[in-house]
PDB file of all heavy atoms in Angstrom:
ATOM      1  N   THR A   1     -21.456  -4.286  -6.861  1.00 96.00           N
ATOM      2  CA  THR A   1     -21.450  -5.574  -7.624  1.00 96.00           C
ATOM      3  C   THR A   1     -20.022  -5.791  -8.169  1.00 96.00           C
ATOM      4  O   THR A   1     -19.448  -6.894  -8.013  1.00 96.00           O
ATOM      5  CB  THR A   1     -22.439  -5.632  -8.687  1.00 96.00           C
ATOM      6  OG1 THR A   1     -23.691  -5.372  -8.156  1.00 96.00           O
ATOM      7  CG2 THR A   1     -22.386  -6.929  -9.493  1.00 96.00           C
ATOM      8  N   GLU A   2     -19.397  -4.783  -8.720  1.00 96.00           N
ATOM      9  CA  GLU A   2     -18.090  -5.009  -9.325  1.00 96.00           C
ATOM     10  C   GLU A   2     -17.027  -5.290  -8.214  1.00 96.00           C
ATOM     11  O   GLU A   2     -16.140  -6.109  -8.429  1.00 96.00           O
ATOM     12  CB  GLU A   2     -17.661  -3.795 -10.102  1.00 96.00           C
ATOM     13  CG  GLU A   2     -18.459  -3.535 -11.406  1.00 96.00           C
ATOM     14  CD  GLU A   2     -18.286  -2.165 -12.021  1.00 96.00           C
ATOM     15  OE1 GLU A   2     -18.131  -1.100 -11.338  1.00 96.00           O
ATOM     16  OE2 GLU A   2     -18.211  -2.131 -13.230  1.00 96.00           O
ATOM     17  N   LEU A   3     -17.155  -4.560  -7.156  1.00 96.00           N
ATOM     18  CA  LEU A   3     -16.228  -4.791  -6.047  1.00 96.00           C
ATOM     19  C   LEU A   3     -16.349  -6.237  -5.529  1.00 96.00           C
ATOM     20  O   LEU A   3     -15.390  -6.963  -5.242  1.00 96.00           O
ATOM     21  CB  LEU A   3     -16.372  -3.793  -4.958  1.00 96.00           C
ATOM     22  CG  LEU A   3     -15.452  -3.951  -3.696  1.00 96.00           C
ATOM     23  CD1 LEU A   3     -13.976  -3.905  -4.095  1.00 96.00           C
ATOM     24  CD2 LEU A   3     -15.777  -2.874  -2.590  1.00 96.00           C
ATOM     25  N   ALA A   4     -17.619  -6.651  -5.395  1.00 96.00           N
ATOM     26  CA  ALA A   4     -17.882  -8.014  -4.901  1.00 96.00           C
ATOM     27  C   ALA A   4     -17.294  -9.077  -5.787  1.00 96.00           C
ATOM     28  O   ALA A   4     -16.702 -10.032  -5.295  1.00 96.00           O
ATOM     29  CB  ALA A   4     -19.397  -8.190  -4.729  1.00 96.00           C
ATOM     30  N   GLN A   5     -17.456  -8.841  -7.099  1.00 96.00           N
ATOM     31  CA  GLN A   5     -16.860  -9.810  -8.073  1.00 96.00           C
ATOM     32  C   GLN A   5     -15.348  -9.989  -7.880  1.00 96.00           C
ATOM     33  O   GLN A   5     -14.807 -11.054  -7.980  1.00 96.00           O
ATOM     34  CB  GLN A   5     -17.275  -9.403  -9.503  1.00 96.00           C
ATOM     35  CG  GLN A   5     -18.782  -9.594  -9.754  1.00 96.00           C
ATOM     36  CD  GLN A   5     -19.194  -9.017 -11.128  1.00 96.00           C
ATOM     37  OE1 GLN A   5     -18.487  -8.242 -11.709  1.00 96.00           O
ATOM     38  NE2 GLN A   5     -20.391  -9.468 -11.576  1.00 96.00           N
ATOM     39  N   ARG A   6     -14.668  -8.808  -7.742  1.00 96.00           N
ATOM     40  CA  ARG A   6     -13.296  -8.791  -7.665  1.00 96.00           C
ATOM     41  C   ARG A   6     -12.785  -9.428  -6.316  1.00 96.00           C
ATOM     42  O   ARG A   6     -11.684  -9.971  -6.322  1.00 96.00           O
ATOM     43  CB  ARG A   6     -12.717  -7.330  -7.777  1.00 96.00           C
ATOM     44  CG  ARG A   6     -12.980  -6.745  -9.167  1.00 96.00           C
ATOM     45  CD  ARG A   6     -12.081  -5.523  -9.335  1.00 96.00           C
ATOM     46  NE  ARG A   6     -12.406  -4.848 -10.558  1.00 96.00           N
ATOM     47  CZ  ARG A   6     -11.679  -3.803 -11.051  1.00 96.00           C
ATOM     48  NH1 ARG A   6     -10.624  -3.419 -10.367  1.00 96.00           N
ATOM     49  NH2 ARG A   6     -11.999  -3.219 -12.152  1.00 96.00           N
ATOM     50  N   LEU A   7     -13.632  -9.369  -5.330  1.00 96.00           N
ATOM     51  CA  LEU A   7     -13.262  -9.904  -4.032  1.00 96.00           C
ATOM     52  C   LEU A   7     -13.744 -11.421  -3.934  1.00 96.00           C
ATOM     53  O   LEU A   7     -13.386 -12.061  -2.938  1.00 96.00           O
ATOM     54  CB  LEU A   7     -13.951  -9.124  -2.861  1.00 96.00           C
ATOM     55  CG  LEU A   7     -13.401  -7.685  -2.633  1.00 96.00           C
ATOM     56  CD1 LEU A   7     -14.310  -6.984  -1.675  1.00 96.00           C
ATOM     57  CD2 LEU A   7     -11.961  -7.683  -2.102  1.00 96.00           C
ATOM     58  N   ASP A   8     -14.513 -11.786  -4.958  1.00 95.00           N
ATOM     59  CA  ASP A   8     -15.110 -13.118  -4.916  1.00 95.00           C
ATOM     60  C   ASP A   8     -16.054 -13.259  -3.693  1.00 95.00           C
ATOM     61  O   ASP A   8     -16.117 -14.278  -3.015  1.00 95.00           O
ATOM     62  CB  ASP A   8     -14.037 -14.239  -4.795  1.00 95.00           C
ATOM     63  CG  ASP A   8     -14.617 -15.620  -5.171  1.00 95.00           C
ATOM     64  OD1 ASP A   8     -15.621 -15.695  -5.872  1.00 95.00           O
ATOM     65  OD2 ASP A   8     -14.013 -16.619  -4.779  1.00 95.00           O
ATOM     66  N   LYS A   9     -16.808 -12.204  -3.497  1.00 95.00           N
ATOM     67  CA  LYS A   9     -17.769 -12.170  -2.433  1.00 95.00           C
ATOM     68  C   LYS A   9     -19.203 -11.780  -3.046  1.00 95.00           C
ATOM     69  O   LYS A   9     -19.284 -11.363  -4.160  1.00 95.00           O
ATOM     70  CB  LYS A   9     -17.428 -11.096  -1.413  1.00 95.00           C
ATOM     71  CG  LYS A   9     -16.195 -11.384  -0.643  1.00 95.00           C
ATOM     72  CD  LYS A   9     -16.261 -12.519   0.317  1.00 95.00           C
ATOM     73  CE  LYS A   9     -15.026 -12.753   1.136  1.00 95.00           C
ATOM     74  NZ  LYS A   9     -15.190 -13.866   2.047  1.00 95.00           N
ATOM     75  N   THR A  10     -20.269 -11.928  -2.235  1.00 95.00           N
ATOM     76  CA  THR A  10     -21.514 -11.510  -2.650  1.00 95.00           C
ATOM     77  C   THR A  10     -21.689 -10.008  -2.566  1.00 95.00           C
ATOM     78  O   THR A  10     -20.970  -9.326  -1.683  1.00 95.00           O
ATOM     79  CB  THR A  10     -22.652 -12.199  -1.957  1.00 95.00           C
ATOM     80  OG1 THR A  10     -22.587 -11.742  -0.524  1.00 95.00           O
ATOM     81  CG2 THR A  10     -22.513 -13.735  -1.972  1.00 95.00           C
ATOM     82  N   MET A  11     -22.604  -9.416  -3.244  1.00 95.00           N
ATOM     83  CA  MET A  11     -22.815  -7.983  -3.187  1.00 95.00           C
ATOM     84  C   MET A  11     -23.377  -7.714  -1.737  1.00 95.00           C
ATOM     85  O   MET A  11     -23.108  -6.606  -1.185  1.00 95.00           O
ATOM     86  CB  MET A  11     -23.826  -7.520  -4.175  1.00 95.00           C
ATOM     87  CG  MET A  11     -24.081  -5.957  -4.163  1.00 95.00           C
ATOM     88  SD  MET A  11     -25.297  -5.371  -5.358  1.00 95.00           S
ATOM     89  CE  MET A  11     -26.791  -5.969  -4.601  1.00 95.00           C
ATOM     90  N   ARG A  12     -24.124  -8.609  -1.171  1.00 96.00           N
ATOM     91  CA  ARG A  12     -24.660  -8.393   0.157  1.00 96.00           C
ATOM     92  C   ARG A  12     -23.559  -8.288   1.175  1.00 96.00           C
ATOM     93  O   ARG A  12     -23.668  -7.453   2.129  1.00 96.00           O
ATOM     94  CB  ARG A  12     -25.627  -9.511   0.527  1.00 96.00           C
ATOM     95  CG  ARG A  12     -26.163  -9.428   1.893  1.00 96.00           C
ATOM     96  CD  ARG A  12     -26.960  -8.143   2.143  1.00 96.00           C
ATOM     97  NE  ARG A  12     -27.497  -8.008   3.473  1.00 96.00           N
ATOM     98  CZ  ARG A  12     -27.633  -6.877   4.120  1.00 96.00           C
ATOM     99  NH1 ARG A  12     -27.256  -5.739   3.542  1.00 96.00           N
ATOM    100  NH2 ARG A  12     -28.140  -6.957   5.324  1.00 96.00           N
ATOM    101  N   THR A  13     -22.473  -9.006   1.032  1.00 96.00           N
ATOM    102  CA  THR A  13     -21.307  -8.966   1.894  1.00 96.00           C
ATOM    103  C   THR A  13     -20.643  -7.611   1.808  1.00 96.00           C
ATOM    104  O   THR A  13     -20.332  -6.931   2.850  1.00 96.00           O
ATOM    105  CB  THR A  13     -20.306 -10.052   1.631  1.00 96.00           C
ATOM    106  OG1 THR A  13     -20.918 -11.387   1.803  1.00 96.00           O
ATOM    107  CG2 THR A  13     -19.052  -9.944   2.483  1.00 96.00           C
ATOM    108  N   VAL A  14     -20.465  -7.161   0.632  1.00 96.00           N
ATOM    109  CA  VAL A  14     -19.917  -5.756   0.411  1.00 96.00           C
ATOM    110  C   VAL A  14     -20.884  -4.728   1.021  1.00 96.00           C
ATOM    111  O   VAL A  14     -20.330  -3.780   1.693  1.00 96.00           O
ATOM    112  CB  VAL A  14     -19.736  -5.434  -1.064  1.00 96.00           C
ATOM    113  CG1 VAL A  14     -19.318  -3.983  -1.318  1.00 96.00           C
ATOM    114  CG2 VAL A  14     -18.635  -6.375  -1.662  1.00 96.00           C
ATOM    115  N   GLN A  15     -22.095  -4.873   0.892  1.00 96.00           N
ATOM    116  CA  GLN A  15     -23.068  -3.903   1.553  1.00 96.00           C
ATOM    117  C   GLN A  15     -22.904  -3.965   3.045  1.00 96.00           C
ATOM    118  O   GLN A  15     -22.923  -2.931   3.738  1.00 96.00           O
ATOM    119  CB  GLN A  15     -24.512  -4.300   1.137  1.00 96.00           C
ATOM    120  CG  GLN A  15     -24.835  -4.058  -0.251  1.00 96.00           C
ATOM    121  CD  GLN A  15     -26.220  -4.469  -0.649  1.00 96.00           C
ATOM    122  OE1 GLN A  15     -26.824  -5.446   0.000  1.00 96.00           O
ATOM    123  NE2 GLN A  15     -26.834  -3.931  -1.717  1.00 96.00           N
ATOM    124  N   LYS A  16     -22.687  -5.092   3.621  1.00 95.00           N
ATOM    125  CA  LYS A  16     -22.509  -5.222   5.042  1.00 95.00           C
ATOM    126  C   LYS A  16     -21.235  -4.612   5.546  1.00 95.00           C
ATOM    127  O   LYS A  16     -21.112  -4.040   6.547  1.00 95.00           O
ATOM    128  CB  LYS A  16     -22.555  -6.756   5.482  1.00 95.00           C
ATOM    129  CG  LYS A  16     -23.867  -7.376   5.477  1.00 95.00           C
ATOM    130  CD  LYS A  16     -23.915  -8.821   5.929  1.00 95.00           C
ATOM    131  CE  LYS A  16     -25.268  -9.387   5.958  1.00 95.00           C
ATOM    132  NZ  LYS A  16     -25.307 -10.855   6.350  1.00 95.00           N
ATOM    133  N   TYR A  17     -20.163  -4.752   4.661  1.00 96.00           N
ATOM    134  CA  TYR A  17     -18.898  -4.132   4.991  1.00 96.00           C
ATOM    135  C   TYR A  17     -19.090  -2.525   5.065  1.00 96.00           C
ATOM    136  O   TYR A  17     -18.710  -1.874   5.941  1.00 96.00           O
ATOM    137  CB  TYR A  17     -17.841  -4.382   3.921  1.00 96.00           C
ATOM    138  CG  TYR A  17     -17.243  -5.779   3.957  1.00 96.00           C
ATOM    139  CD1 TYR A  17     -16.753  -6.291   2.795  1.00 96.00           C
ATOM    140  CD2 TYR A  17     -17.257  -6.544   5.056  1.00 96.00           C
ATOM    141  CE1 TYR A  17     -16.140  -7.564   2.754  1.00 96.00           C
ATOM    142  CE2 TYR A  17     -16.709  -7.803   5.116  1.00 96.00           C
ATOM    143  CZ  TYR A  17     -16.143  -8.339   3.911  1.00 96.00           C
ATOM    144  OH  TYR A  17     -15.697  -9.619   3.953  1.00 96.00           O
ATOM    145  N   GLU A  18     -19.767  -2.039   4.042  1.00 96.00           N
ATOM    146  CA  GLU A  18     -20.000  -0.622   3.940  1.00 96.00           C
ATOM    147  C   GLU A  18     -20.970  -0.044   4.965  1.00 96.00           C
ATOM    148  O   GLU A  18     -20.770   1.143   5.389  1.00 96.00           O
ATOM    149  CB  GLU A  18     -20.460  -0.214   2.541  1.00 96.00           C
ATOM    150  CG  GLU A  18     -19.348  -0.518   1.362  1.00 96.00           C
ATOM    151  CD  GLU A  18     -19.761   0.026   0.076  1.00 96.00           C
ATOM    152  OE1 GLU A  18     -20.898   0.595  -0.087  1.00 96.00           O
ATOM    153  OE2 GLU A  18     -18.915  -0.036  -0.832  1.00 96.00           O
ATOM    154  N   SER A  19     -21.843  -0.817   5.402  1.00 95.00           N
ATOM    155  CA  SER A  19     -22.819  -0.349   6.375  1.00 95.00           C
ATOM    156  C   SER A  19     -22.300  -0.530   7.824  1.00 95.00           C
ATOM    157  O   SER A  19     -22.837   0.113   8.782  1.00 95.00           O
ATOM    158  CB  SER A  19     -24.162  -1.103   6.258  1.00 95.00           C
ATOM    159  OG  SER A  19     -23.950  -2.463   6.623  1.00 95.00           O
ATOM    160  N   GLY A  20     -21.172  -1.245   7.944  1.00 94.00           N
ATOM    161  CA  GLY A  20     -20.670  -1.483   9.265  1.00 94.00           C
ATOM    162  C   GLY A  20     -21.336  -2.640  10.009  1.00 94.00           C
ATOM    163  O   GLY A  20     -21.046  -2.917  11.172  1.00 94.00           O
ATOM    164  N   GLU A  21     -22.179  -3.368   9.252  1.00 95.00           N
ATOM    165  CA  GLU A  21     -22.799  -4.524   9.852  1.00 95.00           C
ATOM    166  C   GLU A  21     -21.809  -5.594  10.224  1.00 95.00           C
ATOM    167  O   GLU A  21     -22.041  -6.286  11.256  1.00 95.00           O
ATOM    168  CB  GLU A  21     -23.896  -4.994   8.904  1.00 95.00           C
ATOM    169  CG  GLU A  21     -24.820  -6.054   9.501  1.00 95.00           C
ATOM    170  CD  GLU A  21     -25.971  -6.463   8.522  1.00 95.00           C
ATOM    171  OE1 GLU A  21     -26.209  -5.715   7.541  1.00 95.00           O
ATOM    172  OE2 GLU A  21     -26.555  -7.490   8.764  1.00 95.00           O
ATOM    173  N   ILE A  22     -20.798  -5.795   9.436  1.00 93.00           N
ATOM    174  CA  ILE A  22     -19.771  -6.742   9.719  1.00 93.00           C
ATOM    175  C   ILE A  22     -18.457  -5.969   9.557  1.00 93.00           C
ATOM    176  O   ILE A  22     -18.338  -5.091   8.631  1.00 93.00           O
ATOM    177  CB  ILE A  22     -19.872  -8.049   8.921  1.00 93.00           C
ATOM    178  CG1 ILE A  22     -19.759  -7.680   7.450  1.00 93.00           C
ATOM    179  CG2 ILE A  22     -21.040  -8.833   9.314  1.00 93.00           C
ATOM    180  CD1 ILE A  22     -19.728  -9.007   6.548  1.00 93.00           C
ATOM    181  N   GLU A  23     -17.518  -6.418  10.293  1.00 92.00           N
ATOM    182  CA  GLU A  23     -16.151  -5.776  10.183  1.00 92.00           C
ATOM    183  C   GLU A  23     -15.230  -6.752   9.333  1.00 92.00           C
ATOM    184  O   GLU A  23     -15.048  -7.878   9.715  1.00 92.00           O
ATOM    185  CB  GLU A  23     -15.511  -5.555  11.512  1.00 92.00           C
ATOM    186  CG  GLU A  23     -14.130  -4.939  11.459  1.00 92.00           C
ATOM    187  CD  GLU A  23     -13.509  -4.628  12.872  1.00 92.00           C
ATOM    188  OE1 GLU A  23     -14.252  -5.039  13.876  1.00 92.00           O
ATOM    189  OE2 GLU A  23     -12.434  -4.121  12.947  1.00 92.00           O
ATOM    190  N   PRO A  24     -14.632  -6.220   8.263  1.00 94.00           N
ATOM    191  CA  PRO A  24     -13.816  -7.016   7.442  1.00 94.00           C
ATOM    192  C   PRO A  24     -12.502  -7.401   8.198  1.00 94.00           C
ATOM    193  O   PRO A  24     -11.986  -6.650   9.043  1.00 94.00           O
ATOM    194  CB  PRO A  24     -13.484  -6.126   6.239  1.00 94.00           C
ATOM    195  CG  PRO A  24     -13.745  -4.783   6.673  1.00 94.00           C
ATOM    196  CD  PRO A  24     -14.824  -4.872   7.683  1.00 94.00           C
ATOM    197  N   SER A  25     -11.984  -8.590   7.886  1.00 92.00           N
ATOM    198  CA  SER A  25     -10.720  -8.992   8.511  1.00 92.00           C
ATOM    199  C   SER A  25      -9.579  -8.156   7.959  1.00 92.00           C
ATOM    200  O   SER A  25      -9.777  -7.492   6.919  1.00 92.00           O
ATOM    201  CB  SER A  25     -10.487 -10.468   8.221  1.00 92.00           C
ATOM    202  OG  SER A  25     -10.312 -10.698   6.836  1.00 92.00           O
ATOM    203  N   ILE A  26      -8.354  -8.202   8.518  1.00 91.00           N
ATOM    204  CA  ILE A  26      -7.273  -7.491   8.079  1.00 91.00           C
ATOM    205  C   ILE A  26      -6.839  -7.975   6.713  1.00 91.00           C
ATOM    206  O   ILE A  26      -6.437  -7.191   5.804  1.00 91.00           O
ATOM    207  CB  ILE A  26      -6.122  -7.567   9.032  1.00 91.00           C
ATOM    208  CG1 ILE A  26      -4.968  -6.522   8.591  1.00 91.00           C
ATOM    209  CG2 ILE A  26      -5.576  -8.959   9.141  1.00 91.00           C
ATOM    210  CD1 ILE A  26      -5.381  -5.129   8.590  1.00 91.00           C
ATOM    211  N   ALA A  27      -7.047  -9.278   6.409  1.00 92.00           N
ATOM    212  CA  ALA A  27      -6.824  -9.809   5.052  1.00 92.00           C
ATOM    213  C   ALA A  27      -7.702  -9.283   4.061  1.00 92.00           C
ATOM    214  O   ALA A  27      -7.305  -8.943   2.915  1.00 92.00           O
ATOM    215  CB  ALA A  27      -6.872 -11.357   5.162  1.00 92.00           C
ATOM    216  N   MET A  28      -9.012  -9.087   4.464  1.00 95.00           N
ATOM    217  CA  MET A  28      -9.954  -8.498   3.474  1.00 95.00           C
ATOM    218  C   MET A  28      -9.710  -7.039   3.337  1.00 95.00           C
ATOM    219  O   MET A  28      -9.881  -6.513   2.206  1.00 95.00           O
ATOM    220  CB  MET A  28     -11.378  -8.728   4.066  1.00 95.00           C
ATOM    221  CG  MET A  28     -12.537  -8.256   3.111  1.00 95.00           C
ATOM    222  SD  MET A  28     -12.413  -8.909   1.422  1.00 95.00           S
ATOM    223  CE  MET A  28     -12.508 -10.667   1.738  1.00 95.00           C
ATOM    224  N   ILE A  29      -9.260  -6.358   4.423  1.00 95.00           N
ATOM    225  CA  ILE A  29      -8.881  -4.935   4.308  1.00 95.00           C
ATOM    226  C   ILE A  29      -7.794  -4.798   3.223  1.00 95.00           C
ATOM    227  O   ILE A  29      -7.886  -3.879   2.359  1.00 95.00           O
ATOM    228  CB  ILE A  29      -8.481  -4.348   5.575  1.00 95.00           C
ATOM    229  CG1 ILE A  29      -9.687  -4.189   6.561  1.00 95.00           C
ATOM    230  CG2 ILE A  29      -7.737  -3.008   5.446  1.00 95.00           C
ATOM    231  CD1 ILE A  29     -10.535  -2.997   6.142  1.00 95.00           C
ATOM    232  N   ASN A  30      -6.844  -5.644   3.283  1.00 93.00           N
ATOM    233  CA  ASN A  30      -5.745  -5.614   2.379  1.00 93.00           C
ATOM    234  C   ASN A  30      -6.236  -5.854   0.896  1.00 93.00           C
ATOM    235  O   ASN A  30      -5.730  -5.168  -0.061  1.00 93.00           O
ATOM    236  CB  ASN A  30      -4.608  -6.614   2.665  1.00 93.00           C
ATOM    237  CG  ASN A  30      -3.852  -6.214   3.984  1.00 93.00           C
ATOM    238  OD1 ASN A  30      -3.698  -5.050   4.281  1.00 93.00           O
ATOM    239  ND2 ASN A  30      -3.368  -7.210   4.719  1.00 93.00           N
ATOM    240  N   ALA A  31      -7.091  -6.773   0.786  1.00 95.00           N
ATOM    241  CA  ALA A  31      -7.597  -7.136  -0.607  1.00 95.00           C
ATOM    242  C   ALA A  31      -8.427  -6.017  -1.104  1.00 95.00           C
ATOM    243  O   ALA A  31      -8.279  -5.607  -2.314  1.00 95.00           O
ATOM    244  CB  ALA A  31      -8.484  -8.360  -0.495  1.00 95.00           C
ATOM    245  N   ILE A  32      -9.190  -5.377  -0.302  1.00 96.00           N
ATOM    246  CA  ILE A  32     -10.058  -4.282  -0.752  1.00 96.00           C
ATOM    247  C   ILE A  32      -9.201  -3.042  -1.083  1.00 96.00           C
ATOM    248  O   ILE A  32      -9.351  -2.391  -2.144  1.00 96.00           O
ATOM    249  CB  ILE A  32     -11.099  -3.798   0.391  1.00 96.00           C
ATOM    250  CG1 ILE A  32     -12.085  -4.943   0.594  1.00 96.00           C
ATOM    251  CG2 ILE A  32     -11.810  -2.546   0.024  1.00 96.00           C
ATOM    252  CD1 ILE A  32     -12.983  -4.701   1.772  1.00 96.00           C
ATOM    253  N   ALA A  33      -8.214  -2.811  -0.250  1.00 94.00           N
ATOM    254  CA  ALA A  33      -7.299  -1.663  -0.460  1.00 94.00           C
ATOM    255  C   ALA A  33      -6.515  -1.791  -1.766  1.00 94.00           C
ATOM    256  O   ALA A  33      -6.315  -0.786  -2.566  1.00 94.00           O
ATOM    257  CB  ALA A  33      -6.302  -1.594   0.697  1.00 94.00           C
ATOM    258  N   LYS A  34      -6.159  -3.065  -2.159  1.00 93.00           N
ATOM    259  CA  LYS A  34      -5.372  -3.296  -3.405  1.00 93.00           C
ATOM    260  C   LYS A  34      -6.255  -3.003  -4.581  1.00 93.00           C
ATOM    261  O   LYS A  34      -5.850  -2.389  -5.535  1.00 93.00           O
ATOM    262  CB  LYS A  34      -4.862  -4.724  -3.413  1.00 93.00           C
ATOM    263  CG  LYS A  34      -4.044  -4.995  -4.617  1.00 93.00           C
ATOM    264  CD  LYS A  34      -3.468  -6.418  -4.474  1.00 93.00           C
ATOM    265  CE  LYS A  34      -2.575  -6.698  -5.727  1.00 93.00           C
ATOM    266  NZ  LYS A  34      -2.016  -8.168  -5.687  1.00 93.00           N
ATOM    267  N   ILE A  35      -7.519  -3.421  -4.463  1.00 96.00           N
ATOM    268  CA  ILE A  35      -8.431  -3.224  -5.605  1.00 96.00           C
ATOM    269  C   ILE A  35      -8.847  -1.756  -5.770  1.00 96.00           C
ATOM    270  O   ILE A  35      -8.784  -1.241  -6.923  1.00 96.00           O
ATOM    271  CB  ILE A  35      -9.769  -4.077  -5.388  1.00 96.00           C
ATOM    272  CG1 ILE A  35      -9.377  -5.496  -5.487  1.00 96.00           C
ATOM    273  CG2 ILE A  35     -10.800  -3.611  -6.433  1.00 96.00           C
ATOM    274  CD1 ILE A  35     -10.647  -6.415  -5.036  1.00 96.00           C
ATOM    275  N   LEU A  36      -8.972  -1.069  -4.665  1.00 95.00           N
ATOM    276  CA  LEU A  36      -9.371   0.301  -4.675  1.00 95.00           C
ATOM    277  C   LEU A  36      -8.166   1.363  -4.725  1.00 95.00           C
ATOM    278  O   LEU A  36      -8.342   2.535  -4.711  1.00 95.00           O
ATOM    279  CB  LEU A  36     -10.270   0.679  -3.486  1.00 95.00           C
ATOM    280  CG  LEU A  36     -11.507  -0.200  -3.343  1.00 95.00           C
ATOM    281  CD1 LEU A  36     -12.286   0.291  -2.130  1.00 95.00           C
ATOM    282  CD2 LEU A  36     -12.386  -0.051  -4.615  1.00 95.00           C
ATOM    283  N   ASN A  37      -7.014   0.789  -4.790  1.00 93.00           N
ATOM    284  CA  ASN A  37      -5.800   1.514  -4.917  1.00 93.00           C
ATOM    285  C   ASN A  37      -5.674   2.584  -3.716  1.00 93.00           C
ATOM    286  O   ASN A  37      -5.455   3.767  -3.992  1.00 93.00           O
ATOM    287  CB  ASN A  37      -5.690   2.268  -6.259  1.00 93.00           C
ATOM    288  CG  ASN A  37      -4.293   2.866  -6.640  1.00 93.00           C
ATOM    289  OD1 ASN A  37      -3.348   2.311  -6.095  1.00 93.00           O
ATOM    290  ND2 ASN A  37      -4.278   3.903  -7.311  1.00 93.00           N
ATOM    291  N   ILE A  38      -5.815   2.050  -2.574  1.00 93.00           N
ATOM    292  CA  ILE A  38      -5.717   2.846  -1.346  1.00 93.00           C
ATOM    293  C   ILE A  38      -4.873   2.148  -0.327  1.00 93.00           C
ATOM    294  O   ILE A  38      -4.748   0.920  -0.338  1.00 93.00           O
ATOM    295  CB  ILE A  38      -7.119   3.207  -0.755  1.00 93.00           C
ATOM    296  CG1 ILE A  38      -7.054   4.192   0.353  1.00 93.00           C
ATOM    297  CG2 ILE A  38      -7.875   1.927  -0.411  1.00 93.00           C
ATOM    298  CD1 ILE A  38      -8.393   4.686   0.861  1.00 93.00           C
ATOM    299  N   SER A  39      -4.286   2.872   0.594  1.00 92.00           N
ATOM    300  CA  SER A  39      -3.455   2.192   1.618  1.00 92.00           C
ATOM    301  C   SER A  39      -4.370   1.515   2.606  1.00 92.00           C
ATOM    302  O   SER A  39      -5.402   2.086   2.998  1.00 92.00           O
ATOM    303  CB  SER A  39      -2.642   3.282   2.349  1.00 92.00           C
ATOM    304  OG  SER A  39      -2.282   2.811   3.629  1.00 92.00           O
ATOM    305  N   PRO A  40      -4.037   0.290   3.025  1.00 93.00           N
ATOM    306  CA  PRO A  40      -4.860  -0.358   4.069  1.00 93.00           C
ATOM    307  C   PRO A  40      -4.904   0.458   5.311  1.00 93.00           C
ATOM    308  O   PRO A  40      -5.955   0.487   6.046  1.00 93.00           O
ATOM    309  CB  PRO A  40      -4.059  -1.758   4.318  1.00 93.00           C
ATOM    310  CG  PRO A  40      -3.323  -1.888   3.082  1.00 93.00           C
ATOM    311  CD  PRO A  40      -2.900  -0.625   2.518  1.00 93.00           C
TER     312      PRO A  40
END
């Protein structure tokens, strides 16, 4: 939920990212990496 809020996405979208149901775009990868303090 917290990650979804920071990404301005729904929790269900984050769940789909983590389950591999949908593949995040490179722009979303960069956004997630910045929030989680990890290299894209």
Side-chain angles (χ1 to χ4, degrees):
T1 300
E2 290 171 323
L3 178 58
Q5 289 173 343
R6 295 196 187 187
L7 292 171
D8 196 23
K9 297 288 184 180
T10 64
M11 186 182 72
R12 179 57 183 146
T13 298
V14 170
Q15 289 175 337
K16 289 182 178 181
Y17 288 156
E18 294 189 354
S19 68
E21 189 174 342
I22 57 176
E23 182 179 1
S25 66
I26 189 62
M28 183 55 60
I29 286 289
N30 289 333
I32 294 172
K34 184 176 182 180
I35 293 170
L36 301 181
N37 195 30
I38 185 175
S39 159

